[in-house]
Amino acid sequence: MEKYILLILVTLCMVSCNSNKKTTYVNGEKQETRDTIFNDKIQGVFFDTPFGASKEEVIKNFKAHDLVFNDVTSSNALLHFYNKHGRFYTFGNMQWEMLDVYMSNGKFYGINFMNYSEDKAAAIENYDNILKAVSAKYNMMEREPQDTTTYKLSSGYTKSFPRRVVTVACYRYESISKKILQGISLTYYDEESESEVSDEL
């Protein structure tokens, strides 16, 4: 349960970054600095469940992929899942340790895949590998974090509204047991829905 403090930190770093000059990634290759870069589409279906699905649909469909809903640590705005068969589950040909689903007005609007490490160098290497894989599919912008707890942050956006966002982040956080850990996350969400619950924890 202590690891879920990651969600708050990821959400904060997604909205607290500088939008000036960026290093961009097109088809996995680093490109010249630009102010803005967009994608035509960004994925919005996960484990056979599209954004906009109800809580019941999310739980049912995720269960079919051996992801178990943790009702003890979940809320109406945030659903926690764990792998039925062990510590890790697979998404995008990568292994992950934690999974959170964002809900707004009873609808699925975002998902957060997470790993953690006790070693900063290992966490940054994991971030770089995830970013390389994601930037082979989407045009990503490396952003300059304004939060001192965030080491690296990159995002991709759709052209159309409501804007869909994909974010890769690496940051440090303190667990409930007061242990300092390094978090690495891959997050997909719709901005319009995110703003609807911005006042919630």
Side-chain angles (χ1 to χ4, degrees):
M1 181 175 166
E2 66 186 33
K3 300 168 192 169
Y4 294 116
I5 200 165
L6 284 169
L7 174 67
I8 296 169
L9 294 168
V10 172
T11 303
L12 289 174
C13 74
M14 285 192 300
V15 297
S16 66
C17 298
N18 194 329
S19 61
N20 294 332
K21 294 182 179 179
K22 311 287 184 276
T23 302
T24 59
Y25 295 84
V26 179
N27 297 322
E29 298 296 323
K30 197 176 265 194
Q31 301 292 315
E32 73 276 5
T33 300
R34 305 180 198 173
D35 289 331
T36 308
I37 188 166
F38 293 110
N39 296 274
D40 291 327
K41 292 182 180 179
I42 291 176
Q43 181 172 341
V45 178
F46 302 89
F47 305 110
D48 302 319
T49 312
F51 282 171
S54 67
K55 176 180 177 180
E56 292 73 22
E57 290 174 290
V58 170
I59 293 170
K60 178 184 174 184
N61 293 347
F62 281 37
K63 184 178 180 181
H65 291 271
D66 293 328
L67 294 166
V68 179
F69 174 57
N70 188 340
D71 59 349
V72 174
T73 60
S74 296
S75 67
N76 288 333
L78 183 65
L79 311 180
H80 300 304
F81 290 84
Y82 61 90
N83 183 12
K84 179 180 179 180
H85 301 293
R87 179 178 173 184
F88 297 99
Y89 63 94
T90 302
F91 172 77
N93 296 318
M94 292 179 278
Q95 286 193 323
W96 302 93
E97 296 170 278
M98 295 168 277
L99 173 61
D100 290 331
V101 167
Y102 301 95
M103 302 293 291
S104 176
N105 297 321
K107 300 295 182 184
F108 174 33
Y109 82 89
I111 190 165
N112 194 27
F113 301 92
M114 297 170 284
N115 285 328
Y116 72 95
S117 173
E118 294 185 17
D119 180 69
K120 179 180 175 181
I124 289 174
E125 182 179 358
N126 191 357
Y127 165 91
D128 289 338
N129 291 335
I130 294 167
L131 179 59
K132 183 177 180 180
V134 173
S135 65
K137 185 173 181 180
Y138 302 117
N139 297 328
M140 301 291 287
M141 292 187 295
E142 189 172 15
R143 303 169 67 179
E144 182 181 336
Q146 294 178 340
D147 185 336
T148 58
T149 63
T150 303
Y151 305 126
K152 291 192 169 190
L153 178 67
S154 295
S155 298
Y157 306 86
T158 56
K159 295 177 182 178
S160 59
F161 288 91
R163 185 159 288 155
R164 185 159 293 159
V165 182
V166 56
T167 299
V168 182
C170 182
Y171 46 87
R172 74 175 184 274
Y173 69 99
E174 184 177 301
S175 69
I176 291 173
S177 63
K178 306 299 182 185
K179 189 171 187 177
I180 299 299
L181 296 172
Q182 320 304 317
I184 310 97
S185 65
L186 169 62
T187 307
Y188 295 79
Y189 68 100
D190 284 342
E191 275 189 340
E192 186 176 79
S193 297
E194 187 269 341
S195 65
E196 292 174 10
V197 294
S198 60
D199 61 337
E200 296 185 25
L201 293 177

